[in-house]
Amino acid sequence: MNSYITVKQVNHASPILLSIPHSGLKIPEEIQVRINPKAKRIHTDWEMDTFIKDFPFTSISSKLTRYIVDVNRSKYTSKTSTRSIIPKYDEVGNPLFKQYPSKAIQQQWLKEFYTPYYDAILEQISLKEQNFTKICLLDLHSYDDKYFKTEKIIISTRNEATISKKSLEFIVSCFEKEKLSIQVDTPFKGGNIIHELSKQPNVEAIQIEIPYSIYLFENKLDKNKVEIIQEKLLNVFLKIEEFYTNF
């Protein structure tokens, strides 16, 4: 297994699979000489892997910072796209690298860090398909809500392209029963992980974005808040598990 990908196999007997692509902070030693030390890396999904570590579901997470290789971006971006897999600038326009990697190095990084993440997900899906008709991939993220006009949990489905209407309605109802404020597909439509994996015939997928304000304090888990939101989200995920178990 790639040393920058963690697969925590907790429960084979569950149709739920968790993905945490943006909580990683590591920069490989051989890449550190390339990075611009003045660049910021503030839009990390801080502590998301720790947040769900006790949840009874298999999870896949990336230890690598998204500012080296972003596994939630598509290979098939246009020449004008600012959301490339290997980003060039931080949020305020500082170059992330002293010298942006050549095309040959980019291909090596994709082979080493990008493709293995998808391979790991597909491997776990294959195992679960032996027991379940339908698998639900929950791609977990967080966002700094001070930059957006909302403090709600965002459920992203690429405008219902990654999940059936029936399944989405059920999931929305689960959040509502736990009195968790949500909105769907705005301001985030969902990234490449749910887009690609939902193409698998037996997979439905959603992206879930949790606002920083309800679980973090200065980029660390807020002990005064986190237990409440953990309990509520776990209840939601367990209900989703039951739904897909009986699919």
Side-chain angles (χ1 to χ4, degrees), residues 14 23 27-28 31 82 84 99 114 134 137 147 168 171 198:
S14 173
S23 64
I27 300 173
I31 295 177
T82 59
S84 56
Q99 183 177 10
Y114 183 88
K134 192 72 72 173
L137 174 66
Y147 292 108
L168 177 60
I171 290 173
S198 64

Side-chain angles (χ1 to χ4, degrees), residues 44-158:
T44 296
D45 295 349
W46 305 101
E47 302 264 21
M48 185 55 59
D49 51 348
T50 305
F51 179 87
I52 60 92
K53 72 179 180 65
D54 294 325
F55 282 24
F57 309 107
T58 293
S59 64
I60 298 168
S61 58
S62 174
K63 296 179 184 179
L64 185 79
T65 172
R66 66 187 295 184
Y67 292 93
I68 301 297
V69 172
D70 189 336
V71 297
N72 201 30
R73 302 299 176 206
S74 172
K75 290 183 179 180
Y76 309 106
T77 52
S78 69
K79 292 181 180 179
T80 58
S81 174
T82 59
R83 295 179 176 271
S84 56
I85 293 174
I86 301 171
K88 293 183 178 180
Y89 304 102
D90 68 12
E91 288 80 7
V92 294
N94 295 315
L96 287 164
F97 302 95
K98 296 173 186 175
Q99 183 177 10
Y100 193 70
S102 67
K103 296 222 184 247
I105 292 173
Q106 290 178 47
Q107 290 303 312
Q108 178 59 36
W109 289 4
L110 263 62
K111 181 180 179 181
E112 188 172 354
F113 305 118
Y114 183 88
T115 302
Y117 194 83
Y118 289 84
D119 288 345
I121 294 176
L122 288 170
E123 182 179 359
Q124 295 306 313
I125 287 173
S126 179
L127 290 172
K128 290 180 179 297
E129 285 178 333
Q130 297 174 26
N131 298 310
F132 299 99
T133 303
K134 192 72 72 173
I135 312 301
C136 183
L137 174 66
L138 303 177
D139 193 45
L140 306 182
H141 298 256
S142 60
Y143 72 100
D144 193 344
D145 38 319
K146 72 173 179 276
Y147 292 108
F148 297 88
K149 296 179 180 179
T150 181
E151 296 177 348
K152 295 182 178 181
I153 294 172
I154 312 301
I155 297 174
S156 303
T157 70
R158 294 266 182 142

Side-chain angles (χ1 to χ4, degrees), residues 16 57 136 138 153 155 163 165-184 206 208 228-245:
I16 302 299
F57 309 107
C136 183
L138 303 177
I153 294 172
I155 297 174
I163 191 170
K165 184 175 182 180
K166 178 183 176 182
S167 298
L168 177 60
E169 287 176 348
F170 177 81
I171 290 173
V172 167
S173 74
C174 291
F175 279 88
E176 291 174 343
K177 286 175 183 176
E178 290 295 327
K179 296 182 169 42
L180 292 169
S181 296
I182 62 169
Q183 56 193 49
V184 179
I206 61 171
I208 299 174
I228 296 172
I229 186 66
Q230 280 175 323
E231 181 179 1
K232 287 177 176 289
L233 272 179
L234 178 56
N235 288 339
V236 169
F237 290 2
L238 288 171
K239 290 172 184 173
I240 295 172
E241 178 185 54
E242 183 178 4
F243 176 80
Y244 279 91
T245 298

Side-chain angles (χ1 to χ4, degrees), residues 10-29:
V10 175
N11 189 354
H12 289 299
S14 173
I16 302 299
L17 179 60
L18 306 182
S19 162
I20 307 100
H22 287 164
S23 64
L25 299 173
K26 291 189 176 182
I27 300 173
E29 187 175 350

